[in-house]
Amino acid sequence: MKQPANNTGSNVRVVFGRGIRKSIAAETRRLGAARALILSTPQQSDAALETAELLGSLAIGVFCQAEMHTPVHVTNAALAHVAETKADCLIAIGGGSTTGLGKAIALHSDLPQIVVPTTYAGSEATPILGQTEDGVKTTISDPRVLPEVILYDSELVQTLPVNMSVTSSLNAMAHAAEALYATNRTANTTELAIEGLKAFVDGLPKVLANPNDLIAREATQRGAWACGTVLGQVGMALHHKLCHTLGGSFDLPHAETHAIVLPHAIAYNARAAAKELQPICDLLGGDNAGTALYQFSKNVNAPLALRDLGLKEADLDHAAELATTKPYPNPRPVTQDHIRSLLQAAWAGDTPIH
Ligand code: NAD
């Protein structure tokens, strides 16, 4: 696996290691900070409190109200807390939701961020922020939201429940899969995307066999970094557009939605980008990257049907319309009829149409 400084040219400090979270005080001092505000979801407040203990007098507060899709009202409450406590640094410990809150605060305050990821979502490696206000999700890309330091501690991701380990892995793999055919891809992003995919193809079955296998957990975290990094470097297409629509407008959960849609979106695009998607067939076998991913999803017991997430069949027309109103680059032309059929198969959990 390539080291970040060689591959991205960015100044982000990325450290992997079992127990690396315990160096949080040294990392905070390295940033020249002395008043750290720790962020988490309510479910991970214990991890936030452990971080506060590790920081000692460097911690000035804990804000445990991060929510999925980064609602603006939560960001505003956190910004008030930042002002009150005069925080000079943010420490986000959690998945993409907590990272999203840290990024949203950084956008307004320019405070430096240390992220300690506990899922494979990869948000920590991107300058992208998705936010929700009045039920509408918007995405921006801004260098101010890119975290300064990432600490990948395999001990933290081992508590990720098995079902979430599966869906979060497929969420990461989706970034890499779409990076393979991105119009602005480079040889370097393609190489990194393949490394990320391989890390999950090899590592996820080992994680499922033994969720406490810290070597496999670290390998998958390296995959998460690679997949997140390419997400930040190239444009995404049909798959991410569909998931954005389903998450933002129908309130479907992020990682599960990515997991279910991925084989369908890739099967759809395989007709126009078979050569670009060949690395997926090389890793998984088969001659269609989408059906290969569908089989992989079945093997790892991933959720397969959007209906199981609560999406109603009656919503599919509207979803297809929303996902096709604004044009965007995609290997295969996107039509409402085709996307409606794709969504029908994903809703029912059927084999992808290709
Ligand atoms: P999440 O952060 O919402 O976590 C889901 C739940 O699992 C939360 O309750 C969380 O506290 C808990 N959890 C996380 N790690 C755990 C662990 N190790 N052990 C036990 N529980 C744990 O889920 P996610 O899929 O990581 O993030 C989804 C969010 O991230 C979405 O809002 C999505 O839009 C965003 N995202 C953004 C980017 C980006 O580049 N901007 C990339 C990927 C995802």
Side-chain angles (χ1 to χ4, degrees), residues 41-44 67-70 94-100 103 118-124 126-130 137 139 156-161 164 168 171 175 228 231 254-255:
T41 59
Q43 294 82 1
Q44 286 181 286
E67 275 181 36
M68 196 169 285
H69 305 307
T70 321
S97 297
T98 303
T99 304
K103 287 171 150 184
T118 64
T119 70
Y120 302 122
S123 175
E124 64 279 359
T126 81
I128 303 164
L129 169 65
K137 188 167 179 178
T139 302
L156 291 177
V157 82
Q158 76 178 320
T159 61
L160 192 63
M164 283 178 58
S168 194
N171 179 195
H175 310 326
L231 169 67
H254 181 81

Side-chain angles (χ1 to χ4, degrees), residues 42-350:
Q43 294 82 1
Q44 286 181 286
S45 57
D46 285 355
L49 292 174
E50 188 210 24
T51 307
E53 255 177 52
L54 290 166
L55 281 164
S57 61
L58 295 175
I60 48 87
V62 176
F63 185 90
C64 301
Q65 293 167 42
E67 275 181 36
M68 196 169 285
H69 305 307
T70 321
V72 167
H73 70 91
V74 175
T75 303
N76 289 340
L79 281 167
H81 206 66
V82 166
E84 203 177 292
T85 56
K86 298 190 173 58
D88 63 4
C89 144
L90 304 166
I91 298 177
I93 178 154
S97 297
T98 303
T99 304
L101 175 61
K103 287 171 150 184
I105 299 171
L107 180 68
H108 294 283
S109 65
D110 223 2
L111 287 180
Q113 307 165 68
I114 301 176
V115 182
V116 189
T118 64
T119 70
Y120 302 122
S123 175
E124 64 279 359
T126 81
I128 303 164
L129 169 65
Q131 310 182 83
T132 316
E133 190 166 25
D134 300 328
V136 178
K137 188 167 179 178
T138 51
T139 302
I140 58 153
S141 183
D142 189 305
R144 281 173 297 179
V145 310
L146 184 69
E148 278 70 9
V149 180
I150 313 173
L151 302 179
Y152 287 103
D153 188 332
S154 50
E155 287 177 354
L156 291 177
V157 82
Q158 76 178 320
T159 61
L160 192 63
V162 164
N163 59 337
M164 283 178 58
S165 295
V166 169
T167 53
S168 194
S169 295
L170 286 159
N171 179 195
M173 290 171 75
H175 310 326
E178 288 223 293
L180 293 176
Y181 53 54
T183 48
N184 57 346
R185 68 188 180 278
T186 64
N188 213 27
T189 57
T190 296
E191 190 186 334
L192 200 53
I194 294 169
E195 285 180 18
L197 288 163
K198 184 170 175 9
F200 285 106
V201 170
D202 295 345
L204 182 58
K206 291 181 190 158
V207 163
L208 298 183
N210 176 10
N212 298 318
D213 178 346
L214 292 181
I215 294 172
R217 284 291 190 181
E218 182 170 322
T220 46
Q221 284 182 304
R222 285 180 182 273
W225 172 80
C227 294
T229 299
V230 291
L231 169 67
Q233 292 194 350
V234 298
M236 297 286 118
L238 175 66
H239 170 79
H240 281 74
K241 177 71 183 170
L242 284 175
C243 293
H244 183 94
T245 302
L246 292 167
S249 303
F250 300 93
D251 205 25
L252 297 195
H254 181 81
E256 291 88 335
T257 304
H258 272 270
I260 294 169
V261 172
L262 180 63
H264 298 273
I266 297 301
Y268 182 82
N269 278 336
R271 191 182 286 193
K275 190 163 146 268
E276 290 82 354
L277 290 167
Q278 183 60 36
I280 294 180
C281 297
D282 295 343
L283 286 169
L284 294 174
D287 55 12
N288 180 289
T291 46
L293 281 165
Y294 184 75
Q295 191 53 50
F296 179 72
S297 292
K298 276 181 136 177
N299 294 347
V300 295
N301 284 322
L304 296 173
L306 289 173
R307 68 174 160 202
D308 295 339
L309 303 185
L311 186 69
K312 305 219 168 18
E313 194 170 15
D315 287 331
L316 297 180
D317 285 341
H318 188 41
E321 190 191 334
L322 285 174
T324 52
T325 41
K326 284 193 196 146
Y328 51 90
N330 190 61
R332 185 175 163 196
V334 170
T335 68
Q336 196 172 323
D337 280 356
H338 280 132
I339 298 312
R340 177 65 179 78
S341 306
L342 181 163
L343 285 172
Q344 184 71 39
W347 179 83
D350 292 342

